[in-house]
Amino acid sequence: MVAGGLMLSSFAPNIYFLFFSYGIVVGLGCGLLYTATVTITCQYFDSRRGLALGLISTGSSVGLFIYAALQRLLIEFYGLDGCLLIVGALALNILACGSLMRPLQVSDYPLPGKTALENIPDRYSVYSEKEKNLEENTNMLERRNSSEEMNKSPLAPDDGKHKNPDMAHTRETETYRKKVAEQTYFCKQLAKWKWQLCKNYCGETVTLFKNKVFSALFVAIFLFDIGGFPPSLLMEDVARSSNVKEEEFIMPLISIIGIMTAIGKLLLGILADFEWINTLYLYVATLITMGLALCAIPFAKSYVTLSVLSGIIGLLTGNWSIFPYVTTKTVGIERLAHAYGILMFFAGLGNSLGPPIVGWFYDWTQTYDIAFYFSGFCVLLGGLILLLAALPSWSTCNKKLPKPAPATFLYKVASNV
């Protein structure tokens, strides 16, 4: 999806086509890639999970730097269309990386032992429910066929000439009835299976939100993305509004944020592996400190102060590397994919809402002060809510959640044909 969307965007005739090809197709592909990669990494690594998450998060930051430089060169030499086509071809290398990711063999849920009468090979067994449904469907077709035969009157005596055609017709009818019965049963079972999947998903979602730490984590990540994302877009404008001269810009503030984010992802990932560090409290500390740093930006009137605050914000933004670790500790590895998908959906929603809200504050006040106060308040509020939820019950988060009982079926020995 990522490669195809990028290549398709190179042939875009207008901006509306890009809304679909680049915004929807590429965006959806990137979202699926990120969630799958993080989930697989958490499943593969246990004792060094934080370091693994830190490395893959740092890799994404390094990739952004390389892509930014490569993008300028490609646009200069090949134009925007050629740039999208080449980057789309490069994105096909994701397939090579994905082919190395193999599902682990799950052995934590042994199937319940069968009783003596049921302890038979599966190839000699059939579902009793299937047999029952097939019999019902076949009987229904037989009743319909017999009623049709009763309405027909015989036109000739039954002699040897008509015996073989009648027998062939009977066999064809019997075969047809069985095929229709099997197809009817398959459709019913498929509908039941889909409905059961929906019920299970809704039930698991409700169970997740009954965990108050997960609910607080849900609120915290939503508020963090509303308030934490806009500063990376506005720091240069803040410096200009504070009358910082261009000669003082030793390094762009956005570059400082990017470099420190990469360092923060790796550093926080390493810290998460230490047994004496509570990862949830570490994540809360990054939220609260970042909220205070955002509220301090309106008081910064020099390049040095803005550089220091940009470095702090970038370092703390690296808490993305420990967020999957915290989610795993909260819900368990069995529910990680489900829980992380929900959290990432609302994180993306917060990313979409944050910049327009901050821009509206600037249009309303013609200053960035209120905008950064709002951003800092959102991040700070999310950290405090998560802290209040975690203080009395972090020990319960480390306990293994009850494992879902595997589905059981009744088996019956099939009669020998």
Side-chain angles (χ1 to χ4, degrees):
M1 293 180 69
V2 175
L6 288 169
M7 293 179 182
L8 194 62
S9 298
S10 65
F11 302 99
N14 50 53
I15 188 66
Y16 302 105
F17 188 87
L18 285 174
F19 286 159
F20 168 75
S21 62
Y22 195 88
I24 296 178
V25 178
V26 178
L28 183 59
C30 290
L32 293 172
L33 275 174
Y34 179 77
T35 305
T37 304
V38 169
T39 304
I40 292 170
T41 305
C42 290
Q43 290 175 349
Y44 261 81
F45 295 91
D46 188 15
S47 59
R48 292 291 181 267
R49 182 177 294 158
L51 176 60
L53 291 171
L55 287 173
I56 65 171
S57 300
T58 305
S60 64
S61 299
V62 174
L64 286 176
F65 277 103
I66 297 175
Y67 175 73
L70 180 64
Q71 183 182 26
R72 287 194 295 268
L73 293 174
L74 291 177
I75 292 177
E76 181 180 351
F77 284 101
Y78 302 102
L80 180 60
D81 295 342
C83 173
L84 290 170
L85 195 62
I86 294 173
V87 173
L90 291 175
L92 287 173
N93 290 283
I94 298 173
L95 295 174
C97 300
S99 64
L100 301 176
M101 297 181 180
R102 304 289 176 152
L104 294 174
Q105 296 295 330
V106 180
S107 59
D108 295 333
Y109 310 130
L111 292 175
K114 300 178 183 179
T115 60
L117 293 177
E118 297 172 335
N119 193 13
I120 56 175
D122 291 341
R123 58 194 179 96
Y124 296 121
S125 305
V126 294
Y127 290 107
S128 58
E129 182 184 356
K130 179 178 179 180
E131 182 181 274
K132 180 180 179 182
N133 280 274
L134 286 175
E135 289 178 356
E136 291 178 355
N137 295 330
T138 305
N139 292 335
M140 180 177 63
L141 289 171
E142 286 178 351
R143 288 195 298 269
R144 186 180 68 179
N145 187 65
S146 61
S147 61
E148 292 176 355
E149 290 179 352
M150 291 176 63
N151 293 330
K152 295 180 180 180
S153 57
L155 300 177
D158 188 10
D159 52 12
K161 295 181 181 180
H162 299 84
K163 185 175 181 179
N164 291 335
D166 289 344
M167 291 178 63
H169 176 71
T170 303
R171 284 195 299 268
E172 291 177 0
T173 304
E174 185 68 24
T175 303
Y176 172 76
R177 284 203 301 266
K178 289 183 178 180
K179 287 183 178 180
V180 172
E182 290 179 357
Q183 293 175 359
T184 305
Y185 166 77
F186 174 77
C187 293
K188 288 182 179 179
Q189 290 302 106
L190 182 62
K192 289 181 181 179
W193 179 63
K194 291 289 185 180
W195 173 247
Q196 189 63 36
L197 285 179
C198 294
K199 288 177 62 178
N200 292 342
Y201 183 84
C202 295
E204 290 179 4
T205 304
V206 172
T207 303
L208 286 174
F209 279 99
K210 286 181 179 179
N211 184 338
K212 59 182 179 180
V213 177
F214 175 80
S215 299
L217 196 63
F218 157 79
V219 175
I221 192 62
F222 179 69
L223 293 176
F224 171 75
D225 278 270
I226 288 179
F229 180 64
S232 61
L233 304 175
L234 302 176
M235 290 301 294
E236 301 290 341
D237 295 333
V238 171
R240 295 189 187 94
S241 64
S242 300
N243 297 322
V244 178
K245 298 179 181 180
E246 295 289 339
E247 296 79 12
E248 299 180 16
F249 278 77
I250 302 174
M251 181 182 293
L253 296 177
I254 187 65
S255 298
I256 296 176
I257 293 178
I259 294 172
M260 294 305 295
T261 299
I263 297 174
K265 287 177 178 179
L266 185 59
L267 180 61
L268 291 173
I270 294 174
L271 291 176
D273 285 329
F274 288 102
E275 295 182 359
W276 50 273
I277 293 181
N278 190 313
T279 314
L280 180 59
Y281 290 154
L282 177 63
Y283 184 74
V284 171
T286 61
L287 292 180
I288 294 177
T289 309
M290 183 175 178
L292 295 175
L294 288 171
C295 293
I297 287 178
F299 300 98
K301 301 300 180 182
S302 66
Y303 174 77
V304 175
T305 311
L306 287 173
S307 298
V308 172
L309 290 176
S310 297
I312 294 174
I313 291 174
L315 183 69
L316 298 175
T317 306
N319 62 7
W320 274 110
S321 64
I322 62 174
F323 182 71
Y325 197 106
V326 174
T327 307
T328 305
K329 286 287 187 180
T330 303
V331 302
I333 193 67
E334 298 87 2
R335 293 184 172 90
L336 174 62
H338 187 180
Y340 199 73
I342 295 174
L343 294 174
M344 285 299 98
F345 172 79
F346 286 97
L349 185 62
N351 269 330
S352 302
L353 295 176
I357 294 175
V358 171
W360 179 80
F361 275 116
Y362 177 79
D363 293 339
W364 179 41
T365 61
Q366 294 300 311
T367 179
Y368 288 106
D369 293 352
I370 302 298
F372 276 92
Y373 288 145
F374 170 78
S375 298
F377 174 76
C378 287
V379 178
L380 191 60
L381 179 62
L384 293 176
I385 290 175
L386 185 57
L387 178 63
L388 292 176
L391 278 177
S393 60
W394 172 248
S395 58
T396 61
C397 297
N398 290 324
K399 295 180 181 179
K400 292 185 177 179
L401 297 175
K403 300 174 181 178
T408 57
F409 303 95
L410 295 177
Y411 288 86
K412 180 179 178 181
V413 180
S415 59
N416 294 329
V417 180

